[in-house]
Amino acid sequence: MWVIAAFEAVTETETHPGLLQVAAALELIHTYSLVHDDLPCMDDDDERRGRPTVHIAYGEGPAVLVGDALLTEAFRLALSAPGLQADQRVAIGLELAEASGYKGMIGGQAADIGLAGPITNREVLERLHRGKTGALIRAGCRLGGIVAQANEAQLAALTEHGEAVGLAFQLADDVLDAEEDAGDDGPPSFVKLLGEDHCREEAENLYREGLSALEGFGVKAEALRELATYTIQRDI
């Protein structure tokens, strides 16, 4: 969604022959992260969206392999997308690697399971979630811009939007999960550090920051605005 919406914000062209493959690649990485996140060595979840998680349905070994396959297929899919120039392919590969690697999602997950020690302040928690959750939203915005051949200013604006909305997403998510995550054994959350009211306020501020970054795109960025609105208003 983010990839396609960002592409639409930049260009007058209705579509691009490689756009869906690049967008699908990011979704594959997201799905891989959920499969691995549910494993007993991580969050140890038995259900995902009301259905058995992959390791419950098929076993832990197959779940690890499913995640690995999704991640590697994501790069194959993105880098083989038609209609891209060589420099775009390089930029897309680097973007996916950074968002999914130690600087992004994996780094955030490492902090989440305690490899960097306990989460005791907002700065550390924010860094965790900018990696674990925000990096993929940021990457989605940038990938759409790369496919659309955005200029430097446009790509910077998309990056600013993605970073703000990515963190707003997690703040809103923590509010939704406040009751489930309560207690010392629950995961670190903004609600625990800031309180629910402050979380809502911060999410709203980031939402407005994200919208401000899109001012230069005019009506072409309406899909991005709608995604941002859903991010903080959703109830699931």
Side-chain angles (χ1 to χ4, degrees):
M1 294 185 295
W2 300 100
V3 177
I4 295 170
F7 174 87
E8 292 174 350
V10 172
T11 180
E12 300 288 348
T13 306
E14 288 189 8
T15 189
H16 179 283
L19 181 63
L20 287 181
Q21 278 190 219
V22 175
L26 195 66
E27 291 301 322
L28 291 183
I29 289 176
H30 180 228
T31 303
Y32 128 75
S33 75
L34 299 180
V35 172
H36 278 192
D37 219 25
D38 291 335
L39 287 167
C41 60
M42 295 293 175
D43 290 351
D44 195 15
D45 286 324
D46 292 341
E47 288 191 354
R48 169 73 63 177
R49 297 168 185 162
R51 302 183 65 179
T53 50
V54 177
H55 73 273
I56 292 295
Y58 303 105
E60 194 170 337
V64 171
L65 293 175
V66 164
D68 292 347
L70 288 167
L71 177 60
T72 51
E73 177 64 10
F75 281 88
R76 188 202 67 79
L77 195 64
L79 297 179
S80 65
L84 297 171
Q85 298 176 12
D87 61 335
Q88 288 176 293
R89 295 185 196 280
V90 171
I92 287 168
L94 290 173
E95 198 68 44
L96 290 173
E98 182 166 323
S100 61
Y102 79 93
K103 289 185 177 181
M105 191 176 62
I106 289 176
Q109 179 66 11
D112 197 29
I113 65 172
L115 290 185
I119 308 299
T120 58
N121 60 66
R122 175 176 176 167
E123 180 183 358
V124 175
L125 184 59
E126 187 171 313
R127 188 163 61 244
L128 183 164
H129 285 304
R130 284 192 184 277
K132 182 175 178 178
T133 305
L136 291 190
I137 293 177
R138 177 182 185 271
C141 293
R142 288 179 56 83
L143 287 168
I146 291 168
V147 175
Q149 296 184 301
N151 61 40
E152 188 174 330
Q154 290 171 325
L155 200 56
L158 290 172
T159 303
E160 183 181 348
H161 173 77
E163 288 177 348
V165 173
L167 192 55
F169 178 97
Q170 188 59 52
L171 282 156
D173 208 51
D174 282 1
V175 170
L176 287 173
D177 294 339
E179 185 175 336
E180 181 182 342
D181 294 342
D184 294 338
D185 294 334
S189 76
F190 285 106
V191 170
K192 291 178 182 177
L193 285 179
L194 306 176
E196 192 168 325
D197 289 341
H198 196 180
C199 271
R200 293 182 188 276
E201 182 181 341
E202 286 290 301
E204 182 68 25
N205 289 339
L206 285 163
Y207 165 69
R208 296 190 183 281
E209 182 182 321
L211 292 187
S212 270
L214 300 177
E215 288 179 358
F217 295 105
V219 296
K220 292 190 297 180
E222 195 56 35
L224 279 176
R225 294 187 185 95
E226 289 177 2
L227 281 173
T229 300
Y230 173 76
T231 290
I232 68 162
Q233 292 183 354
R234 72 191 194 283
D235 56 9
I236 56 173

